[in-house]
């Protein structure tokens, strides 16, 4: 028998966790976080407790209670086994957006994670520039006897355990026991997204992942639909995030519109876009070139470009971190020694002002700080994250500066408040003087209704399961055999 159980990602946008069982093979497709489910119980200052994370998540129904799935340190600490052998043969990851991957850090390190090289590098970026544990688990609750004979809590290298990351080749079929997997690239708002076609012993299953046709890789999405049609799918799990939306502009239009606005900007062009969306970075980079400016990125983006540039397979797809039209912004460090007299503090103290992963960029030839930007404002498009608006206090945008917001429009109260806050900053610096100065230039990572209809009709699957959506009525309009499932519900093939 082959079965599919939906532990998340149905009647919900994101949180995909699809359990596939075929003979003795057990897989998850994605292991993501549901914003809506977490938001019901948690917020910035109210989270699952580190000492009791699994229990807290089980209690609230956020994670499925499956023995052998979770990291042993957490499981043992809350009395949920931990010594058993795992039955899970792997996680197939479509892409490194948090609603598809954010709960990977909860998993046992010996469960293989099958992903694209891009997804691996993006997760590496999360780990190495932050505190995530996608590629390396840091064992908790571990003690050792120190040289005074006391019991100490182990930290650092003593607790690092690498996960079993298996990079698949785009388009190349591979087997996980009884299941054969075809990872097929699709267009979406992050690099390295792959849809899957699984051949099980009882039929074929397609999973669209998140996709669209209006980005830089629309041909990939088209090829995936063709592959689905050739594969006589028994089930297609088809995303429907924006099934109710009309057609939008394309990623190329974003590039052109940004260039137009920047062309008409006398001062600094300030922009905000999703920090890990390298295709959007590319749009701003191309606009910068068209307008004879340089794109100033932050250190996290520089780190990601560095990882991509170091990969033989991926080099050249995106600008290198030392590209002629890229500048790397050095913000004030923890003591703000950037513009202080270093004879008093020493060069060493200046480096100590930054996290280890940031330090190499301080010596890059294309590193800039607020003084460089302030003096030559019309030479730059300056990336300014919603969480680093204070940089503007140092830069002091000139009269005639502009702000381009290239992020999704707010769809909840928290996001509305955030946008209001950004507006306040822009008003404060005279960048936003009237409503028309607010430039919202964005396209979604998800296909609109017409695009999803094309995927559904073109794939020609026998049955259709709506995922990543709260609107299955559109799928029902476009397919005669729609199976709508509830969270934790299973279907057998
Ligand atoms: Zn996504």
């Amino acid at each position: 028998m082959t079965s599919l159980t939906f532990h998340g990602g149905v009647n919900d946008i994101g949180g995909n966790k699809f359990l596939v069982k075929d003979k003795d093979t057990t897989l998850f497709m994605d292991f993501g976080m549901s914003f809506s489910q977490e938001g019901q119980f948690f917020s910035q200052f109210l989270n699952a407790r580190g000492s009791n994370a699994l229990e807290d998540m089980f209690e609230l129904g956020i994670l499925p209670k499956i023995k052998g799935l979770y990291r042993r340190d957490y499981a043992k600490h809350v009395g949920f086994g931990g010594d058993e052998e795992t039955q899970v043969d792997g996680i197939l990851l479509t892409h490194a957006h948090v609603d598809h991957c954010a709960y990977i850090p909860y998993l046992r390190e010996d469960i293989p994670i099958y992903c694209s090289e891009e997804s691996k590098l993006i997760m590496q970026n999360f780990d190495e520039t932050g505190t995530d544990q996608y590629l390396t688990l840091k064992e908790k609750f571990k003690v050792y006897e120190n040289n005074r004979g006391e019991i100490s809590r182990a930290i650092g290298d003593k607790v690092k355990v690498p996960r079993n990351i298996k990079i698949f080749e785009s388009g190349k079929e591979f087997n996980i026991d009884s299941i054969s997997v075809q990872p097929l690239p699709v267009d979406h708002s992050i690099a390295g997204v792959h849809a899957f076609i699984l051949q099980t012993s009882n039929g074929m299953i397609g999973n669209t992942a998140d996709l669209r046709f209006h980005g830089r890789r629309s041909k990939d999405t088209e090829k995936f639909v063709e592959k689905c049609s050739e594969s006589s799918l028994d089930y297609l799990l088809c995303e429907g995030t924006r099934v109710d939306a009309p057609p939008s502009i394309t990623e190329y239009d974003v590039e052109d519109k940004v260039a137009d606005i920047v062309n008409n900007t006398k001062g600094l062009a300030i922009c905000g876009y999703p920090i890990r969306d390298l295709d959007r970075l590319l749009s701003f980079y191309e606009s910068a070139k068209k307008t004879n400016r340089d794109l100033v990125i932050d250190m996290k983006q520089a780190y990601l470009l560095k990882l991509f540039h170091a990969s033989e397979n991926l080099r050249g797809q995106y600008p290198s971190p030392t590209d002629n039209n890229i500048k790397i912004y050095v913000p004030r460090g923890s003591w703000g020694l950037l513009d202080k007299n270093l004879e008093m503090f020493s060069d060493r103290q200046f480096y100590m002002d930054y996290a280890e992963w940031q330090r190499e960029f301080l010596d890059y030839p294309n590193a800039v700080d607020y003084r460089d930007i302030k003096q030559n404002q019309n030479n730059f498009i300056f990336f300014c994250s919603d969480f680093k608006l204070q940089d503007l206090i140092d830069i002091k945008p000139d009269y005639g500066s502009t702000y381009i917001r290239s992020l999704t429009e707010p769809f909840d109260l928290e996001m509305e408040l955030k946008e209001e806050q950004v507006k306040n900053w822009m008003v404060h610096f005279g960048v936003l003087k009237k409503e028309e100065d607010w430039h919202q230039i964005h396209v979604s990572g998800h296909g609109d209704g017409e695009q999803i209809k094309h995927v559904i009709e073109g794939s020609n699957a026998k049955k259709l399961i709506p995922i990543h959506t709260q609107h299955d009525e559109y799928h029902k309009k476009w397919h005669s055999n729609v199976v709508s499932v509830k969270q934790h519900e299973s279907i057998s093939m």
Side-chain angles (χ1 to χ4, degrees):
M1 197 187 74
T2 305
S3 70
L4 270 168
T5 309
F6 296 80
H7 286 297
V10 286
N11 306 305
D12 195 359
I13 294 179
N16 292 20
K17 292 180 234 30
F18 308 144
L19 180 68
V20 187
K21 285 191 177 183
D22 181 65
K23 292 183 174 170
D24 289 333
T25 313
T26 302
L27 294 178
F28 264 100
M29 285 194 277
D30 289 337
F31 209 71
M33 178 188 84
S34 155
F35 285 106
S36 63
Q37 225 178 352
E38 276 230 352
Q40 276 175 22
F41 300 106
F42 293 137
S43 54
Q44 195 183 355
F45 301 109
L46 174 64
N47 285 299
R49 293 164 294 176
S51 61
N52 205 52
L54 277 184
E55 276 270 310
D56 291 5
M57 299 295 260
F58 291 157
E59 169 69 32
L60 301 170
I62 297 175
L63 285 177
K65 262 185 132 166
I66 298 173
K67 284 253 168 82
L69 177 60
Y70 298 104
R71 39 192 295 177
R72 282 173 274 204
D73 51 350
Y74 284 16
K76 284 181 187 170
H77 207 65
V78 297
F80 188 66
D83 286 321
E84 66 282 330
E85 257 190 54
T86 185
Q87 302 298 313
V88 182
D89 299 293
I91 309 292
L92 280 174
L93 182 67
T94 59
H95 65 297
H97 270 153
V98 289
D99 56 334
H100 295 255
C101 72
Y103 290 152
I104 286 177
Y106 282 100
L107 298 173
R108 265 169 74 139
E109 78 284 358
D110 54 343
I111 297 177
I113 312 284
Y114 295 85
C115 63
S116 64
E117 186 176 4
E118 293 94 327
S119 295
K120 185 212 155 203
L121 296 181
I122 294 164
M123 291 191 287
Q124 188 177 344
N125 196 53
F126 272 117
D127 283 4
E128 292 175 359
T129 69
T131 55
D132 286 295
Q133 300 184 27
Y134 286 106
L135 305 192
T136 308
L137 179 149
K138 290 174 190 143
E139 231 180 300
K140 227 177 153 168
F141 317 119
K142 197 176 168 183
V143 292
Y144 70 102
E145 199 180 307
N146 69 18
N147 48 23
R148 292 191 299 276
E150 302 157 335
I151 294 296
S152 269
R153 295 178 181 205
I155 52 165
D157 286 339
K158 286 194 186 74
V159 297
K160 280 188 184 165
V161 191
R163 283 184 195 282
N164 184 2
I165 305 290
K166 292 187 184 290
I167 294 176
F168 54 65
E169 215 178 295
S170 201
K172 197 172 165 201
E173 203 163 332
F174 61 94
N175 294 315
I176 304 175
D177 297 329
S178 65
I179 299 177
S180 128
V181 182
Q182 276 184 75
L184 299 157
V186 289
D187 183 23
H188 183 45
S189 50
I190 194 166
V193 185
H194 283 75
F196 295 120
I197 294 179
L198 308 185
Q199 185 176 3
T200 71
S201 32
N202 286 292
M204 305 289 287
I205 304 167
N207 174 359
T208 61
D210 290 351
L211 50 68
R212 65 177 176 187
F213 289 92
H214 53 262
R216 294 178 186 278
R217 292 181 294 268
S218 58
K219 286 200 186 91
D220 285 345
T221 309
E222 198 57 72
K223 270 191 214 145
F224 165 68
V225 175
E226 282 164 24
K227 259 279 184 304
C228 285
S229 154
E230 291 162 15
S231 305
S232 318
L233 296 180
D234 294 283
Y235 281 95
L236 176 66
L237 319 188
C238 183
E239 81 121 313
T241 317
R242 292 177 67 251
V243 273
D244 52 347
S248 68
I249 59 171
T250 68
E251 189 65 40
Y252 298 104
D253 296 329
V254 169
E255 186 183 315
D256 291 341
K257 280 173 186 278
V258 168
D260 277 349
I261 295 167
V262 175
N263 257 330
N264 290 314
T265 299
K266 291 193 199 73
L268 183 65
I270 307 161
C271 64
Y273 55 80
I275 188 162
R276 288 178 192 84
D277 182 356
L278 290 181
D279 284 16
R280 185 57 50 80
L281 182 150
L282 199 56
S283 296
F284 276 86
Y285 167 81
E286 294 295 344
S287 319
K289 285 211 292 197
K290 283 183 195 163
T291 54
N292 294 316
R293 294 190 182 219
D294 290 341
L295 177 63
V296 185
I297 59 174
D298 74 359
M299 286 178 165
K300 283 196 178 184
Q301 290 173 51
Y303 197 89
L304 189 57
L305 291 183
K306 186 190 87 168
L307 294 177
F308 272 68
H309 190 68
S311 153
E312 256 173 54
N313 299 320
L314 303 173
R315 188 174 307 140
Q317 285 188 16
Y318 299 103
S320 96
T322 52
D323 184 282
N324 279 334
N325 289 94
I326 294 275
K327 296 280 182 281
I328 300 169
Y329 188 70
V330 179
R332 285 185 195 276
S334 55
W335 277 29
L337 298 183
L338 189 70
D339 52 5
K340 301 291 180 279
N341 179 2
L342 287 185
E343 276 170 25
M344 215 175 118
F345 288 102
S346 85
D347 282 346
R348 196 177 90 87
Q349 283 304 319
F350 171 64
Y351 284 94
M352 301 274 288
D353 233 2
Y354 296 90
E356 242 176 281
W357 67 269
Q358 295 178 312
R359 288 179 197 157
E360 66 168 297
F361 297 118
L362 302 174
D363 298 323
Y364 270 36
N366 58 336
V368 294
D369 63 40
Y370 75 90
R371 292 166 295 192
D372 305 291
I373 313 273
K374 194 176 178 178
Q375 281 156 22
N376 298 293
Q377 302 206 3
N378 58 5
N379 285 354
F380 302 109
I381 298 181
F382 176 69
F383 170 82
C384 186
S385 122
D386 285 2
F387 305 94
K388 291 278 158 52
L389 292 158
Q390 309 97 313
D391 290 340
L392 297 177
I393 296 175
D394 301 332
I395 292 170
K396 301 225 173 352
D398 281 342
Y399 181 81
S401 294
T402 193
Y403 176 68
I404 302 168
R405 190 162 181 81
S406 195
L407 291 154
T408 182
E409 287 193 43
F411 52 78
D412 61 27
L413 190 63
E414 199 183 327
M415 290 169 85
E416 275 169 31
L417 290 173
K418 185 79 230 174
E419 192 177 277
E420 205 47 48
Q421 214 174 46
V422 175
K423 281 186 179 170
N424 292 339
W425 281 83
M426 297 308 156
V427 169
H428 176 86
F429 285 108
V431 174
L432 184 61
K433 289 189 278 298
K434 48 189 187 315
E435 210 33 54
E436 305 92 87
D437 296 341
W438 184 253
H439 303 294
Q440 164 78 28
I441 313 284
H442 175 69
V443 287
S444 167
H446 301 275
D448 56 64
E450 281 305 308
Q451 293 182 13
I452 298 302
K453 184 174 177 232
H454 176 68
V455 172
I456 291 173
E457 291 177 351
S459 298
N460 208 13
K462 293 187 190 79
K463 290 179 183 171
L464 187 69
I465 300 179
I467 56 167
H468 216 275
T469 185
Q470 289 166 320
H471 292 282
D472 64 357
E473 66 269 23
Y474 290 86
H475 287 67
K476 284 178 178 157
K477 229 170 31 184
W478 300 326
H479 196 285
S480 56
N481 201 346
V482 172
V483 182
S484 291
V485 288
K486 294 195 180 70
Q487 193 181 7
H488 305 304
E489 202 180 314
S490 299
I491 55 157
S492 311
M493 293 173 67

